[in-house]
Each structure stands twice: as C-alpha cells, then as structure tokens.
Amino acid sequence: MMRKRFDNSLKNIRGNLVKVGEYCVSVLEQYESYTENSDENILREIADNEDFVYRQIDNINADILTLMLTQQPVAGDLRFLQSSIEIANSLKKIYSHITESVLILINLKLSKKLGNTLNEFLSILSEMLKKSNDAYLNLNKSIANEVITEDEKVDSLFAKTVDEIVFETNEKNITAMQLADLVLLFKYFERIGDRCERICKSTIEI
C-alpha cells in the first residue's frame, strides 16, 4: 500500500512537470503569433505569467523534497527525483529567458530579416521542448539524444544571427545599446536550446 502511494506521488510529479513543459511550449507558440501581428499585449501577457510558472515549479520542487526526506527512496527512485529537480529548474530558466527576451523585444523594432530569424528560433525551440517533454514523460533516451544533437542547430543559428546583426549595424543607424539588446535577445533563445539539452541529459540519467 505504501509503495503504491509512493508510485502515485512519482507519477504526479512527472505529470505536473510535463504540464509545465507543455505550458512553456504553448508560450513559445504564442510568441510566434506576435511575430505575425506585432501585438504587444501578447508579450506583456507572457511576462505577466512568470510568477504563475514559478509557483508551479516551486510547488513541484517542494513535493520532490518532501518525498526525498520522508520516504527514503531507493536508488532508482532517487535518481528520478534528483533529475526531476534539475528538469524543474531548467524549465524555470526557460521561462525566465522567455520573459527576459520579451522585455527586450517590447522596446525594439526588428527588421524583416531579423523577424524571420526570430520565427526560425521559435519554431526550432518549440519542437525541441516538445521532444524534451516527450523524452521525460516516456523516459525515451532516443528522443533525448535527438534533442541534444538538435541543440547544435540552435548554436549555429545564433552564430549566423550575430553576423546578421553586425551587418545591419553597419548598414543602419543602430546605437551601441540597440546592438547589445539585439545580441542579448537572441542569446536568450540560444540559452533556451541549452536548457532543452540539459533536460534531455537529466532524462538520460534516470
């Protein structure tokens, strides 16, 4: 009876983490809709929901720590709980990077080319995060390894984007502050890719 209750607790933790991951995916898709109609309300809504996401993750971490302290989990269960904490913290960082990018973008006007690049980042990252959630939910190491490999595409796209930004700086009247904001904007997306990779590495360790 005790083991069944413990297994249900583990299942709930996994399910709740996947829900947070799915919410982050939906936010990236919502972000994509901004690039189509430039409605700043979309960006403000994303930023306003940061505390909600943080509370969900903090509650999950509290549940995990309670199980670790009260149930004396065996090695396999302990690995799952430890990896789940790492995944929860990666999801928290992902939403933080999304919010920080939103706060920059509200005060920037992207060129058409950089707008298309933003869309490309969002499309790749949405798919990576979906796969990361799937890998964790089903403990699928094959999918996890796919995501780890795909992070190289994000790194390459970031390097290409920096070149695009430098080119635009030379062509247009862009201030040093605007240049820094543009690079940081896309750096946050590159970091989201790194966090997807970390989620998958944590999944592989379970």
Side-chain angles (χ1 to χ4, degrees), residues 78-88 202-203 205-206:
L78 186 60
R79 279 198 305 274
F80 170 79
L81 292 170
Q82 289 172 331
S83 291
S84 294
I85 288 177
E86 292 172 3
I87 290 168
S202 295
T203 297
E205 291 172 0
I206 295 175

Side-chain angles (χ1 to χ4, degrees), residues 77 121 127 144 199:
D77 296 330
F121 267 107
E127 191 61 30
I199 287 171

Side-chain angles (χ1 to χ4, degrees), residues 46-114:
I46 290 171
D48 288 345
N49 286 336
E50 184 179 48
D51 286 343
F52 166 76
V53 174
Y54 282 10
R55 284 196 302 272
Q56 299 301 310
I57 292 171
D58 289 344
N59 288 339
I60 292 169
N61 279 336
D63 290 342
I64 292 172
L65 291 173
T66 297
L67 284 180
M68 292 174 72
L69 292 171
T70 62
Q71 299 298 320
Q72 297 180 331
V74 297
D77 296 330
L78 186 60
R79 279 198 305 274
F80 170 79
L81 292 170
Q82 289 172 331
S83 291
S84 294
I85 288 177
E86 292 172 3
I87 290 168
N89 291 335
S90 287
L91 287 171
K92 196 171 189 177
K93 282 289 186 181
I94 284 173
Y95 207 92
S96 172
H97 295 330
I98 292 172
T99 301
E100 293 296 335
S101 72
V102 159
L103 295 176
I104 291 174
L105 191 56
I106 285 174
N107 297 307
L108 277 180
K109 183 172 177 59
L110 297 182
S111 66
K112 184 175 180 180
K113 188 170 186 180
L114 287 178

Side-chain angles (χ1 to χ4, degrees), residues 5 26 29 40 48-49 56 67-68 82 101 105 109-110 112 123 127-128 133 137 145 151 161 167 171 175 189 197 203:
R5 191 180 301 128
S26 73
E29 292 170 345
E40 285 190 7
D48 288 345
N49 286 336
Q56 299 301 310
L67 284 180
M68 292 174 72
Q82 289 172 331
S101 72
L105 191 56
K109 183 172 177 59
L110 297 182
K112 184 175 180 180
S123 178
E127 191 61 30
M128 284 179 68
N133 288 336
L137 177 63
N145 281 317
D151 185 50
T161 304
F167 177 79
E171 292 289 308
T175 67
F189 293 118
E197 178 186 30
T203 297

Side-chain angles (χ1 to χ4, degrees), residues 166-202:
V166 170
F167 177 79
E168 288 203 3
T169 301
N170 293 332
E171 292 289 308
K172 300 177 182 178
N173 186 24
I174 294 178
T175 67
M177 183 63 73
Q178 288 172 324
L179 172 62
D181 282 345
L182 282 169
V183 173
L184 189 55
L185 171 68
F186 288 100
K187 183 64 179 177
Y188 282 126
F189 293 118
E190 190 260 347
R191 288 175 180 170
I192 292 171
D194 290 341
R195 287 292 166 178
C196 289
E197 178 186 30
R198 188 165 297 184
I199 287 171
C200 289
K201 285 183 175 179
S202 295

